[in-house]
Amino acid sequence: MWLGEAASTAHVPSSGALRLALFLCCLGVLLLGIIPGYAMKLAQLAAYIFVY
Amino acid sequence: MNLALFIPEITLLAVAAIVILLDLFIAQKRWLAQVSLSGLVVSGGVTIAMWGGSYPALFNNMLAVDSFALFFKLLFLGIAFLVILASTDYASKFSRFQGEYYALVLLSTLGMMLMAATTNLIAIYIALELTSISLYALVGFLKDKKSTEASLKYLLLGAIASAVLLYGMALVFGFTGKTQLSEIARIIQALPPMTLLASPGLLLGIVLLVAGFGFKIAAVPFQMWVPDVYEGAPTPITAYLSVASKAAGFAIIMRVFFSAFGTPAWLSLHWGAIFAALAVISMTLGNILAIPQTNIKRMLGYSSIAQAGCLMVGLAAMGVASAESLLGQSAVLFFLASYAFTNLGAFIAIIAISNKLDSDLIADYSGMGKRAPLLALALTLCLISLVGMPPAAGFMAKFYIFSAAVHHGLLWLVIIAVINSVSPPTTICAWSR
């Protein structure tokens, strides 16, 4: 398949709630990817119950 | 017993009841979502306030209030918050049943919170059923042909998985005479290895537990429900299933296998090997079958099977690790948190796009970069994270979990996982045509 024009160019609207949810997810993806230290520390604290 | 420690769960139960009652009296149904979100915020606030403390177990030692349970409670509450936020427009498709929709999401979240906290086989089963029954109903909420069929398939296969799990629990109980995880561990540790090896009942019980929980996390060969259920279910529920249900499954696996079967070392090596084998086939099959898909929800369904395989690399590392090492456990927890943001983000972008297009076919997404540039950008970021490329969370999650596996001598498993990581970019290339 070759690159080509899209069948439609009509704008795809989205509601404020949906945009907020998506923004929070993207923020989480970037924060955990760029500064994962705090989340890793939380995960280690949570896993601490597994030490005998 | 201090019931104040049970406030997050009581709050969710109360809000679910309030939402159902409100639905009878109010015309503006959007308030139902706001009440549900408020309940989740209150429950989350109380859970955060409890973080870091040391608390006694509840209900005759059936429910633990430890950092592990609190971590998962926060994760489930956050996921439910994002799913309900993303459902506010979508829920207009079933306007007569919005109260039931939000209440069932809250009840299934409650079930998952209990799953993460239970330390008793009977309580585990009850929490699992509370979660599952709510999810069976939610999958069929669109009431069209696909949604109804998906719900029926999920119900039937889920019932079989529940029966298998219950049989496994019965065998473990039959061998040890206990349902409390710590007591099961104490009895197993006291027995000489030869007694255990001469009793296939316990080993069969453990295998059946793996099969029962394997259904929840959609591991191969217990994944057959995933494509149809993901395609047929309302998209917000597909998102919810793909992250919350999987996280709950991993929470209960970690609790049961480490608390009850963590020692002696030879036993944990055995279940570690089972999870390593399941990881290899889940990653391979999930990634290969994702490539030819034309429906975006089915594609993400197969991708979630592959991601379960990656997570099981962490479980295998847990099995072979010494009792003092926490690397495998913390890597699985970090992976689950990053996977929750990533997959929810991808599905929320899909909800926004499919609301307008009324289609889940990948071909219909062409030109989205011009039609909705921000949505396309967000979806791209989430797909990059699913692939495991920096700077997204997926990269750190895979790096962390593979490091744990290498640290515990599972280099061969990591090599297979890295080879499998070539497949997601191939899939993304196939999408972007």
Side-chain angles (χ1 to χ4, degrees):
Chain A
M1 187 182 283
W2 300 93
L3 291 171
E5 286 300 311
S8 167
T9 53
H11 178 64
V12 176
S14 52
S15 71
L18 214 53
R19 282 201 296 266
L20 175 63
L22 193 55
F23 170 74
L24 292 174
C25 288
C26 291
L27 189 67
V29 169
L30 285 174
L31 281 180
L32 291 183
I34 296 167
I35 38 171
Y38 186 68
M40 282 180 179
K41 205 170 177 180
L42 279 181
Q44 281 163 2
L45 279 173
Y48 199 70
I49 65 154
F50 295 116
V51 172
Y52 287 113
Chain B
M1 186 179 67
N2 186 2
L3 263 184
L5 300 174
F6 204 49
I7 285 178
E9 287 84 354
I10 293 172
T11 306
L12 273 199
L13 189 61
V15 172
I18 288 168
V19 165
I20 290 176
L21 286 174
L22 267 182
D23 189 32
L24 297 173
F25 300 110
I26 60 168
Q28 292 284 330
K29 301 296 182 191
R30 65 189 169 86
W31 285 104
L32 299 175
Q34 288 167 14
V35 171
S36 306
L37 291 172
S38 309
L40 289 166
V41 169
V42 171
S43 185
V46 176
T47 310
I48 290 171
M50 288 161 69
W51 181 264
S54 176
Y55 307 104
L58 297 171
F59 302 112
N60 204 17
N61 286 334
M62 279 196 174
L63 284 183
V65 191
D66 50 28
S67 55
F68 180 79
L70 293 175
F71 177 91
F72 273 100
K73 283 178 191 180
L74 276 176
L75 186 64
F76 297 139
L77 290 168
I79 292 168
F81 184 90
L82 289 169
V83 167
I84 289 180
L85 203 57
S87 299
T88 45
D89 283 348
Y90 197 93
S92 59
K93 288 189 180 182
F94 25 82
S95 55
R96 278 183 58 209
F97 305 102
Q98 284 193 43
E100 288 85 344
Y101 175 82
Y102 292 121
L104 283 170
V105 171
L106 294 173
L107 288 175
S108 64
T109 307
L110 170 63
M112 290 173 195
M113 288 167 69
L114 293 175
M115 274 171 78
T118 48
T119 56
N120 184 292
L121 290 180
I122 295 169
I124 287 169
Y125 186 74
I126 292 168
L128 195 82
E129 287 302 291
L130 172 60
T131 307
S132 301
I133 291 168
S134 308
L135 289 174
Y136 300 148
L138 282 168
V139 168
F141 237 75
L142 285 177
K143 292 189 175 178
D144 58 14
K145 187 174 175 293
K146 274 187 176 176
S147 179
T148 310
E149 188 178 326
S151 181
L152 187 64
K153 281 177 179 170
Y154 191 33
L155 170 70
L156 291 175
L157 292 169
I160 294 168
S162 286
V164 169
L165 182 70
L166 205 54
Y167 194 45
M169 287 178 175
L171 283 171
V172 171
F173 173 72
F175 187 82
T176 60
K178 303 287 180 190
T179 55
Q180 193 69 24
L181 298 180
S182 56
E183 291 175 358
I184 292 170
R186 190 170 46 78
I187 286 173
I188 290 175
Q189 283 166 29
L191 290 171
M194 287 318 291
T195 313
L196 278 173
L197 286 171
S199 309
L202 178 68
L203 298 178
L204 180 63
I206 292 172
V207 170
L208 292 178
L209 288 181
V210 172
F213 292 136
F215 178 86
K216 292 302 295 178
I217 61 171
V220 178
F222 319 107
Q223 88 301 349
M224 66 295 277
W225 59 276
V226 171
D228 289 350
V229 171
Y230 275 37
E231 186 182 348
T235 312
I237 298 307
T238 309
Y240 186 58
L241 267 177
S242 72
V243 289
S245 178
K246 200 178 288 289
F250 275 97
I252 205 74
I253 286 173
M254 289 170 79
R255 175 84 75 180
V256 169
F257 281 84
F258 206 84
S259 300
F261 311 121
T263 51
W266 65 265
L267 186 62
S268 71
L269 278 174
H270 273 71
W271 60 255
I274 294 176
F275 282 118
L278 290 179
V280 171
I281 52 172
S282 296
M283 283 186 291
T284 309
L285 211 69
N287 280 324
I288 289 173
L289 291 177
I291 295 173
Q293 300 303 319
T294 54
N295 182 297
I296 200 160
K297 285 162 75 178
R298 283 184 88 86
M299 218 293 311
L300 283 177
Y302 282 109
S303 158
S304 86
I305 294 168
Q307 300 289 339
C310 273
L311 278 157
M312 280 187 287
V313 173
L315 292 184
M318 270 177 66
V320 300
S322 61
E324 298 83 32
S325 176
L326 287 174
L327 208 52
Q329 292 91 323
S330 55
V332 171
L333 297 186
F334 182 82
F335 196 112
L336 284 170
S338 66
Y339 180 67
F341 282 117
T342 303
N343 228 35
L344 274 180
F347 271 110
I348 290 169
I350 289 166
I351 293 169
I353 295 168
S354 64
N355 271 352
K356 169 73 178 173
L357 301 182
D358 205 21
S359 166
D360 294 323
L361 292 177
I362 296 169
D364 292 339
Y365 281 58
S366 66
M368 209 47 67
K370 285 181 181 171
R371 299 175 69 182
L374 286 178
L375 278 180
L377 184 68
L379 183 57
T380 307
L381 175 69
C382 294
L383 295 180
I384 282 173
S385 186
L386 275 179
V387 169
M389 284 164 65
F395 170 74
M396 285 312 301
K398 284 189 178 171
F399 182 75
Y400 199 4
I401 219 160
F402 292 167
S403 301
V406 170
H407 184 76
H408 295 304
L410 292 171
L411 184 62
W412 64 272
L413 187 56
V414 174
I415 290 171
I416 294 172
V418 170
I419 291 169
N420 264 294
S421 297
V422 176
S423 182
T426 316
T427 313
I428 305 299
C429 289
W431 280 19
S432 60
R433 286 177 308 186

